[in-house]
Amino acid sequence: MKFTLEQIQTRLKEFEDRQYYYPYIHPVENIQIAKEKEPLENPFHEGASPDDGWSIHVGDSWPEFSTYYWLQIPVQIPNQWPPGSTALRVQLSKELTLHTPEGQVYIDGCLHTGIDRQHSLIQLPSQVNAKEKPPKVTIRIFSGVGLEFIHPIPIPPHQLIDCSLVFLNEPAKEFYFLCKTLSQVVTTLSPESKTYWDLLALLREAFLQ
């Protein structure tokens, strides 16, 4: 059996839609949010519970544009999950434009990574994967801008789209992104090119294994 490029792209879309590289997904609840009062001052520092904090849920909007908020996200790996790599997936907006929210992720008080419209996955330290003491995860969020000064139609507030723990199937994840990259390269080549057919043959072989 020989896959055409269109068939391979269809399989890749199926792979992405069904998220084969995330065999286990666990929604996170009890997320707390508080507005930043002073620059870089974490209201949840060392387990504090600010009086003006409140709960936020997936689907809720960020209250104001151009504002800094802090999230406190409880992390507890489900007991039934096998050993392996675990990550937090936090999607701050459904839009993929330059004015959307971004965040700085802190684990146990130390800056760990950043998240934005294209990078929603937060790889957790190995000790978390071993289900030892759960870390304290806080995220400093910039809520995005409304662009009311240049946009003729008011932009609705951005929403928290996803906050989940995901178990990573690393080989499947690497397979998907490598094949996706190769397929995108093939689409830029002429079918008269030898490289076109060589890369397509590699993709066909990968999907037949």
Side-chain angles (χ1 to χ4, degrees):
M1 177 181 180
K2 289 188 176 181
F3 285 103
T4 65
L5 178 58
E6 291 73 20
Q7 288 173 318
I8 289 171
Q9 290 171 331
T10 299
R11 291 293 303 276
L12 283 169
K13 184 67 168 60
E14 175 191 346
F15 207 101
E16 179 179 5
D17 290 344
R18 298 192 178 184
Q19 300 185 342
Y20 290 133
Y21 37 83
Y22 301 144
Y24 305 106
I25 301 175
H26 181 73
V28 175
E29 300 178 349
N30 301 319
I31 307 165
Q32 298 295 305
I33 182 173
K35 189 174 181 178
E36 182 176 275
K37 295 180 179 178
E38 298 292 337
L40 291 174
E41 181 181 333
N42 184 351
F44 299 107
H45 181 63
E46 295 183 353
S49 298
D51 294 335
D52 55 352
W54 68 96
S55 296
I56 186 171
H57 307 88
V58 169
D60 289 351
S61 299
W62 306 111
E64 302 174 53
F65 284 119
S66 304
T67 305
Y68 286 97
Y69 296 95
W70 285 81
L71 296 184
Q72 179 174 254
I73 301 177
V75 173
Q76 183 62 60
I77 309 301
N79 291 329
Q80 64 270 29
W81 283 16
S85 297
T86 308
L88 263 175
R89 188 177 60 187
V90 181
Q91 190 173 350
L92 304 175
S93 170
K94 65 180 179 181
E95 295 187 43
L96 297 177
T97 52
L98 293 174
H99 64 279
T100 52
E102 300 178 347
Q104 299 166 301
V105 181
Y106 293 80
I107 294 183
D108 293 330
C110 297
L111 183 62
H112 180 68
T113 188
I115 55 174
D116 60 19
R117 61 193 180 281
Q118 298 285 7
H119 305 90
S120 61
L121 212 60
I122 305 165
Q123 190 89 31
L124 296 176
S126 58
Q127 66 266 26
V128 180
N129 303 338
K131 301 177 185 176
E132 297 179 3
K133 181 181 178 182
K136 292 182 175 64
V137 177
T138 53
I139 305 179
R140 184 182 189 236
I141 304 291
F142 178 71
S143 62
V145 294
L147 301 181
E148 63 278 357
F149 51 93
I150 61 172
H151 204 284
I153 302 174
I155 296 175
H158 301 293
Q159 295 175 312
L160 177 63
I161 299 301
D162 183 31
C163 186
S164 304
L165 279 168
V166 295
F167 183 88
L168 301 178
N169 182 332
E170 295 285 4
K173 184 167 173 280
E174 291 176 6
F175 173 82
Y176 166 75
F177 283 106
L178 178 58
C179 288
K180 182 178 180 180
T181 301
L182 287 178
S183 72
Q184 290 172 337
V185 171
V186 170
T187 60
T188 68
L189 301 173
S190 167
E192 312 225 344
S193 163
K194 180 178 182 298
T195 305
Y196 176 99
W197 294 105
D198 287 345
L199 291 178
L200 189 56
L202 285 174
L203 285 166
R204 286 170 174 165
E205 182 179 353
F207 275 94
L208 284 172
Q209 288 184 352

